[in-house]
Amino acid sequence: MDTATRPSIISIGPEHLQELRLVARQTFYETFCDTNTRENLNKYLESSFNTTKLLKELNHPCSRFYLASINGNVVGYLKVNTCDAQTETQPKGSFEIERIYVVKAWWGKNVGQALLDLAMQVAAELKSSYVWLGVWEKNYRAVRFYEKNGFEVFDTHVFHIGDESQTDFLMKRDMPVYRGE
């Protein structure tokens, strides 16, 4: 990625609620509009990306959010979780990437890679034993992206979007073992 298109990534808090809400809704819709009904998408967007829910997530001490921008325009975001903020019960030392989403116009331009690289850096700083995430089994592009980055399927879970149940792959990547000095 050349420096002209390298995203600037900042850690965000409640003061960025509206920016986060807009990019979250846009990117989720762009990612899944071709494979889900408008009704189910709208139900999900309203329940998952309303200001009350997002503000609660932004204020959770075990969640972190990051916005990626290029030339002042938000082009994606990242949400990571530890401890009780994780969406599935995991052993101590686990680190969840709950969301990496990129504005469709920036797909394939390494914004997602920059966000994943940051997530892996944060996981390493926290001395996490492994990083895991959930990805819809039919989101072939994302599954390939995570496989290319060393993630492997270790389980599945059900993800609800509106009145439809879908299967997500749970994927993980072990982190190097930290040996204290």
Side-chain angles (χ1 to χ4, degrees), residues 19 30 157 173:
E19 286 174 288
E30 289 175 341
H157 73 182
R173 177 175 150 184

Side-chain angles (χ1 to χ4, degrees), residues 56-65 79-90 94-99 132:
K56 183 178 178 182
E57 292 178 9
L58 280 164
N59 284 316
H60 196 294
C62 294
S63 292
R64 298 180 188 189
F65 282 87
K79 180 186 182 197
V80 297
N81 301 312
T82 58
C83 59
D84 69 341
Q86 295 180 80
T87 58
E88 299 274 334
T89 302
Q90 297 292 317
S94 62
F95 181 94
E96 179 187 23
I97 298 173
E98 185 178 349
R99 299 181 198 136
W132 73 278

Side-chain angles (χ1 to χ4, degrees), residues 17-35:
L17 175 63
Q18 292 310 317
E19 286 174 288
L20 174 62
R21 184 174 179 274
L22 289 173
V23 73
R25 293 174 64 88
Q26 176 185 351
T27 56
F28 192 89
Y29 182 83
E30 289 175 341
T31 302
F32 299 111
C33 67
D34 293 337
T35 51

Side-chain angles (χ1 to χ4, degrees), residues 39-110:
E39 180 178 283
N40 280 338
L41 272 175
N42 286 336
K43 285 180 186 176
Y44 186 83
L45 293 173
E46 289 307 313
S47 67
S48 297
F49 301 122
N50 63 64
T51 54
T52 302
K53 186 166 194 285
L54 285 174
L55 188 59
K56 183 178 178 182
E57 292 178 9
L58 280 164
N59 284 316
H60 196 294
C62 294
S63 292
R64 298 180 188 189
F65 282 87
Y66 301 87
L67 284 181
S69 61
I70 295 177
N71 298 324
N73 298 308
V74 175
V75 295
Y77 79 105
L78 166 69
K79 180 186 182 197
V80 297
N81 301 312
T82 58
C83 59
D84 69 341
Q86 295 180 80
T87 58
E88 299 274 334
T89 302
Q90 297 292 317
K92 185 178 178 183
S94 62
F95 181 94
E96 179 187 23
I97 298 173
E98 185 178 349
R99 299 181 198 136
I100 291 181
Y101 282 97
V102 175
V103 171
K104 189 172 186 175
W106 289 93
W107 289 1
K109 297 180 180 167
N110 293 317

Side-chain angles (χ1 to χ4, degrees), residues 107-168:
W107 289 1
K109 297 180 180 167
N110 293 317
V111 173
Q113 187 66 56
L115 290 167
L116 178 61
D117 291 347
L118 174 61
M120 299 306 291
Q121 176 186 331
V122 172
E125 289 169 2
L126 295 174
K127 298 176 180 57
S128 301
S129 56
Y130 68 93
V131 177
W132 73 278
L133 55 90
V135 59
W136 185 30
E137 66 181 348
K138 293 182 181 176
N139 188 347
Y140 306 116
R141 179 183 183 91
V143 171
R144 281 191 309 273
F145 171 74
Y146 293 121
E147 287 174 338
K148 179 185 88 168
N149 280 281
F151 285 81
E152 296 178 348
V153 174
F154 71 95
D155 204 350
T156 62
H157 73 182
V158 175
F159 182 84
H160 299 283
I161 183 164
D163 61 9
E164 185 178 343
S165 297
Q166 300 176 347
T167 301
D168 277 2

